[in-house]
Amino acid sequence: MKRNVGDLAVFGGSSAFLQPLHVGRPNVGDRARFFDRVNWALDHQWLTNGGPLAREFEQRVAELAGVRYCVSTCNATVALQLLARAADLSGEVIMPSLTFPATAHAFRWLGLTPVFCDIDPATSCLDPALVEAAITPRTSAIVPVHLWGRPCAVDQFEKVAADHGVQLFYDAAHGLGCTSEGRPVGGFGQAEVFSFHATKVVNAFEGGAVVTDDEELAQRVRAMHNFGFTQGRVCTEAGTNGKMAEASAAMGLTSLDAFEETVHRNEANYDDYQSELAGLAGLKVMRFDRAERNNYHYLIVEVDAAVTGVHRDLLDTVLRAENVVCQRYFSPGCHEMEPYRSERPVTLPHTERLAQKVLALPTGPTVSREDIRRVCDIVRLTLERGHEVTRRADERVPSTVAP
Ligand code: T4K
């Protein structure tokens, strides 16, 4: 255990971890089962184009999301784009800035205009009142994000969308297996989009899905993700290739098999982080509502530099030197990135404040209780001696980040 600031690897001590401890280690499930599935696909020589594994995956995702239709895709970014096209979106789409840039890029790539609104600091998700105020005659849709798997204010968004006659879709990239008032994420708005990227709670190497109860929308998305072919191989409109391959579906199914176990481990890790970091001034562990189902997939802490004397970026640097590879999810907000910063400058105070503070710490099935204890020892040492850490860091390289 490190007792002095000088023991930290960033100041010349040895790294606490020999191997990197990552955020976003894949949930791969039972490897033998994965290879069985891939072998089955190879034996049957059916590798993609809506094969049986992709169909089975869709069925299981639809069940988990409590919806009638699921179209699997090659990733969530393309799924968002398929949805935008299938729903004939145009003009402006309102969304949060505090998200992975894929949310905005997906729409911008199609020539739509992302309009960023601020978050409600109580939920870290898009604020429905601000969204309502941002609706213009050019607005065609609202796309809230269930950030870190914590559901948005779904009832309020439903009302805003209905009152203004705009469409409502959710970026549910983080939300698989979560509920809002007992209702599963996946069934809100006209449709929702999941990500099955390697780093997500269920992994299909790369993958995504559009889930919905709207049959017509589902059919259109399905056609569009396969070049515009409807059943009977009639091409009705310009589609793209957004299909999920069978190898991805094999991984997705195997990862789904291990979903409950993964969530269980994530929850135990969340409890361990909570108790290890309890009472540490200037640090908050982002809470999940225990009354709901959560996937506990992102372990987010909020570092208040005014209290600790250490900026989030310096804590990140300290941890990385120890081989703890954290992620600044999601910083900066999209509105502070190109092309949005130049095209449509806005100020979003709550987003900007939170984006300066948040850090994702390692969790997932490969992170042990002992790992967490050691990570938290470093966090505690760094924050409790925050002013000394910042001073020493500034002596080495003058800081560009004000605490
Ligand atoms: N909407 C939202 C709200 C999203 O968060 C995302 C994606 C999307 C939409 C779009 O979904 P997709 O089109 O990707 O399906 C990662 C993921 O690439 C991205 O999917 C995800 N969100 C985002 C939150 O995280 P990066 O740039 O942070 O990934 P990277 O390569 O830096 O890896 C992060 C950590 O994961 C590293 O510490 C290493 C670890 N890792 C990564 C990979 C790829 C592994 O341990 N194994 C791996 O195979 O974006």
Side-chain angles (χ1 to χ4, degrees):
M1 180 177 169
K2 302 194 177 209
R3 297 192 186 282
N4 302 306
V5 168
D7 298 337
L8 292 170
V10 75
F11 301 126
S14 52
S15 294
F17 292 85
L18 289 177
Q19 298 296 326
L21 189 69
H22 282 284
V23 167
R25 279 297 196 215
N27 154 24
V28 292
D30 179 349
R31 220 178 262 220
R33 190 76 187 94
F34 165 68
F35 286 123
D36 283 349
R37 286 181 164 120
V38 170
N39 279 327
W40 189 90
L42 295 174
D43 288 346
H44 289 80
Q45 300 196 19
W46 198 273
L47 304 185
T48 184
N49 288 7
L53 294 176
R55 288 305 179 116
E56 185 186 343
F57 182 68
E58 289 174 349
Q59 205 178 335
R60 285 181 57 184
V61 170
E63 271 165 30
L64 196 51
V67 294
R68 286 160 67 205
Y69 306 102
C70 170
V71 181
S72 59
T73 61
C74 53
N75 59 52
T77 307
V78 166
L80 287 168
Q81 293 179 328
L82 287 162
L83 200 46
R85 277 282 160 85
D88 292 320
L89 298 193
S90 62
E92 297 171 355
V93 178
I94 301 177
M95 62 185 68
S97 164
L98 192 70
T99 179
F100 194 62
T103 313
H105 291 349
F107 296 94
R108 176 66 177 70
W109 188 260
L110 297 180
L112 296 159
T113 305
V115 171
F116 299 113
C117 262
D118 213 347
I119 52 165
D120 173 350
T123 65
S124 322
C125 288
L126 202 51
D127 183 332
L130 296 176
V131 168
E132 181 155 36
I135 291 175
T136 72
R138 281 177 44 76
T139 307
S140 62
I142 307 169
V143 181
V145 177
H146 303 301
L147 194 69
W148 307 312
R150 301 195 311 174
C152 304
V154 288
D155 291 338
Q156 292 174 59
F157 282 119
E158 204 73 50
K159 181 168 182 338
V160 171
D163 286 353
H164 294 269
V166 297
Q167 303 197 63
L168 177 62
F169 302 108
Y170 287 92
D171 178 335
H174 308 166
L176 190 77
C178 302
T179 60
S180 172
E181 294 185 5
R183 294 173 293 163
V185 164
F188 299 113
Q190 270 95 40
E192 304 208 41
V193 165
F194 291 124
S195 170
F196 300 108
H197 181 263
T199 56
K200 295 297 190 296
V201 68
V202 167
N203 132 63
F205 297 131
E206 290 271 359
V210 174
V211 289
T212 181
D213 280 320
D214 181 333
E215 184 176 7
E216 206 179 310
L217 186 63
Q219 277 175 358
R220 202 156 176 218
V221 170
R222 187 170 293 288
M224 281 181 164
H225 98 313
N226 185 25
F227 310 105
F229 287 133
T230 54
Q231 272 178 355
R233 210 174 173 79
V234 181
C235 187
T236 49
E237 57 189 328
T240 185
N241 182 356
K243 299 183 299 288
M244 177 179 276
E246 290 290 90
S248 276
M251 182 77 262
L253 285 165
T254 311
S255 190
L256 264 179
D257 293 342
F259 176 69
E260 291 301 336
E261 190 189 323
T262 301
V263 170
H264 190 68
R265 281 295 305 276
N266 285 347
E267 185 174 7
N269 288 352
Y270 169 73
D271 287 340
D272 286 344
Y273 272 112
Q274 292 273 12
S275 56
E276 286 285 342
L277 297 173
L280 182 54
L283 183 125
K284 264 202 291 192
V285 180
M286 208 67 82
R287 293 202 174 248
F288 291 95
D289 180 352
R290 294 315 269 260
E292 302 288 349
R293 279 189 56 192
N294 304 292
N295 60 32
Y296 302 95
H297 186 61
Y298 289 96
L299 194 297
I300 304 292
V301 295
E302 201 182 312
V303 183
D304 187 344
V307 175
T308 61
V310 173
H311 191 275
R312 178 276 318 272
D313 291 354
L314 181 51
L315 176 62
D316 185 18
T317 304
V318 166
L319 287 166
R320 279 177 183 255
E322 303 290 348
N323 244 339
V324 180
V325 189
C326 301
Q327 297 291 335
R328 298 175 195 184
Y329 291 150
F330 291 97
S331 181
C334 298
H335 73 292
E336 296 191 279
M337 296 176 188
E338 296 297 350
Y340 314 108
R341 187 171 60 169
S342 303
E343 283 178 357
R344 215 182 151 95
V346 282
T347 303
L348 304 173
H350 295 306
T351 297
E352 287 160 27
R353 209 168 300 131
L354 193 58
Q356 283 295 311
K357 293 181 175 178
V358 282
L359 193 62
L361 302 185
T363 185
T366 57
V367 176
S368 70
R369 171 169 263 188
E370 174 59 15
D371 291 335
I372 292 170
R373 197 190 55 70
R374 288 160 71 200
V375 170
C376 292
D377 279 348
I378 298 160
V379 172
R380 264 198 313 274
L381 173 62
T382 307
L383 300 196
E384 283 171 355
R385 308 278 286 277
H387 292 286
E388 185 185 347
V389 171
T390 298
R391 183 179 46 75
R392 287 186 68 153
D394 282 349
E395 280 165 11
R396 284 163 38 113
V397 184
S399 171
T400 50
V401 186

